[in-house]
Amino acid sequence: MTRPVCVDIDLAAIRHNYLVCKQKAPNSRTFAVIKADAYGHGSLVVAQALADVADGFALLNIEDALRLRDAGITQPILLLEGPFDTAEVTAMSEYRLICAIHSDHQLDWLRHAPLPRPLEVWLKLNSGMNRLGFKPQRLPELLATLASLPAIMPTTVMTHFATADDARGIATQWPSFTAATRSCGLALSAANSAALFAYPECFADVVRPGLVLYGASPFDGQTGAELGLKPAMTLRADIIAVQELQTGDSVGYGSLFCAERPMRIGVVACGYADGYPRIVPTGTPVSVDGQPSRTIGRVSMDMLTVDLTELPLAGVGSRVELWGPNVPIEWVAAAAGTLAYELMCAITARVPRRLLS
Ligand SMILES: *Cc1c(COP(=O)(O)O)cnc(C)c1O
């Protein structure tokens, strides 16, 4: 017996979505971005599900990368933020990880770290996001520096887009990146999910989709399904109690919701301590035994309430989908004033993960 809340991870959907990405950019390599525990889906299980098709993987923590190597993943693994200290440079070379570098202090670590094997390096340029990266005009000088380090093999120049998902697109960053990298002789990588679905001109040598692998859309007002993707994550829980309301009865903390007619509501074993956003208002879509319904009142720590008035067959034990194939995560994210990214990453450790393949 266990509390009836669960997150289903559909690995076949992730494979499907990866292959959609490959089809979009058939002449590029597609590195699957599996940082943040594969956006909450599990970085090792996702890597294993893609092991026979993926051109490479990208993530942040060296610990996660080593776990992939220990599990027999042989593809290139790119560490998107590079080393966080000198020792990591040595470990990256030992485990054949690709080291992105974005700052001078990392260059210093490259100079001084003992390298058991040659280390592949990607240079990260700041083309306008102003988060990580060297100024584009420094590229020739940086390449000269790297050329003087015998065990360092620079292969690729990368950048990251700030607005590929909205109307501004890549209009300023892409020209600045291409101008700086013209005739540098290295491979280029720029596209995230949004750019991969909107701007073929920037596919270059390596594309780096994250969100779309998990079946969500990076674009406001559009769902992943509308882009040909399959949602990979289903958050679901069962109804554990039913209440009959009279007109005037209120529900939950703050008595936020007040019944304007007799109603039947179901109490669902999922709350904000599971990662469902507390902020969503009454009316946020859910699905009860496959039928559309809505949340009622305030989400509490361990429970939330849904409307069963029109669903007379639903009751204790009914299955409620909070997001998944029947309830696009983008709808819940919009109700919460956030993005699918944040909801996926916010599922908490107490929610068991069930793998579907
Ligand atoms: C997270 C990340 C990506 C993937 O972004 P999505 O919007 O999820 O596709 C690609 N590149 C870099 C450098 C990233 O940090």
Side-chain angles (χ1 to χ4, degrees):
M1 289 297 107
T2 181
R3 184 169 166 262
V5 59
C6 170
V7 63
D8 289 333
I9 305 298
D10 184 346
L11 297 171
I14 294 174
R15 281 177 68 89
H16 166 87
N17 297 333
Y18 180 83
L19 295 171
V20 169
C21 293
K22 288 268 338 155
Q23 276 166 12
K24 289 246 169 231
N27 302 316
S28 307
R29 291 192 294 158
T30 300
F31 276 31
V33 177
I34 56 169
K35 64 190 179 191
D37 203 22
Y39 297 41
H41 296 67
S43 51
L44 182 55
V45 292
V46 170
Q48 284 168 330
L50 296 178
D52 61 332
V53 286
D55 299 320
F57 296 102
L59 41 67
L60 300 187
N61 297 62
I62 195 160
E63 296 81 2
D64 293 345
L66 299 186
R67 213 167 290 128
L68 263 52
R69 282 282 180 261
D70 288 344
I73 299 290
T74 57
Q75 272 93 346
I77 302 176
L78 167 66
L79 288 155
L80 289 163
E81 295 182 359
F84 298 102
D85 61 32
T86 321
E88 289 197 355
V89 178
T90 303
M92 286 180 195
S93 113
E94 194 174 331
Y95 285 85
R96 294 174 299 105
L97 306 175
I98 304 173
C99 176
I101 62 163
H102 57 76
S103 295
D104 286 303
H105 65 275
Q106 293 178 319
L107 258 182
D108 276 340
W109 294 338
L110 290 188
R111 276 195 195 91
H112 300 116
L115 296 179
R117 302 184 206 211
L119 175 64
E120 180 176 349
V121 167
W122 290 23
L123 273 172
K124 189 163 191 167
L125 298 187
N126 167 20
S127 59
M129 170 95 111
N130 288 312
R131 206 175 52 175
L132 298 181
F134 296 101
K135 293 217 181 305
Q137 62 269 27
R138 289 190 56 198
L139 184 58
E141 162 229 327
L142 293 165
L143 291 176
T145 303
L146 293 177
S148 71
L149 305 174
I152 303 290
M153 301 183 304
T155 64
T156 308
V157 187
M158 69 183 286
T159 196
H160 193 46
F161 294 127
T163 57
D165 57 327
D166 72 26
R168 292 165 290 178
I170 61 170
T172 58
Q173 285 186 262
W174 179 242
S176 129
F177 183 66
T178 49
T181 53
R182 187 165 299 129
S183 73
C184 75
L186 298 186
L188 303 180
S189 173
N192 58 359
S193 290
L196 177 60
F197 278 70
Y199 302 106
E201 67 270 32
C202 75
F203 289 174
D205 299 289
V206 184
V207 296
R208 308 187 309 266
L211 184 71
V212 289
L213 296 176
Y214 312 106
S217 164
F219 306 112
D220 216 21
Q222 203 170 28
T223 64
E226 287 162 351
L227 298 174
L229 304 168
K230 296 184 181 172
M233 177 186 282
T234 301
L235 177 62
R236 60 179 174 84
D238 290 352
I239 292 180
I240 57 170
V242 170
Q243 299 288 344
E244 308 281 346
L245 304 185
Q246 303 304 312
T247 303
D249 285 350
S250 64
V251 181
Y253 284 117
S255 300
L256 279 195
F257 179 85
C258 187
E260 289 173 355
R261 58 188 171 125
M263 290 179 74
R264 213 169 143 255
I265 61 164
V267 179
V268 183
C270 181
Y272 62 79
D274 301 296
Y276 190 87
R278 177 178 178 276
I279 197 169
V280 300
T282 288
T284 301
V286 299
S287 159
V288 180
D289 288 337
Q291 304 297 312
S293 185
R294 58 179 186 138
T295 63
I296 295 288
R298 184 160 268 170
V299 173
S300 44
M301 183 184 285
D302 309 308
M303 287 170 269
L304 57 84
T305 35
V306 298
D307 193 355
L308 302 182
T309 311
E310 309 297 330
L311 303 172
L313 298 181
V316 170
S318 285
R319 178 165 292 185
V320 179
E321 181 180 312
L322 287 323
W323 59 71
N326 297 299
V327 182
I329 190 170
E330 295 90 341
W331 293 358
V332 183
T338 186
L339 300 172
Y341 294 86
E342 189 180 3
L343 296 189
M344 288 175 177
C345 294
I347 299 288
T348 62
R350 79 178 190 183
V351 181
R353 209 186 262 157
R354 215 179 55 123
L355 302 178
L356 313 176
S357 48

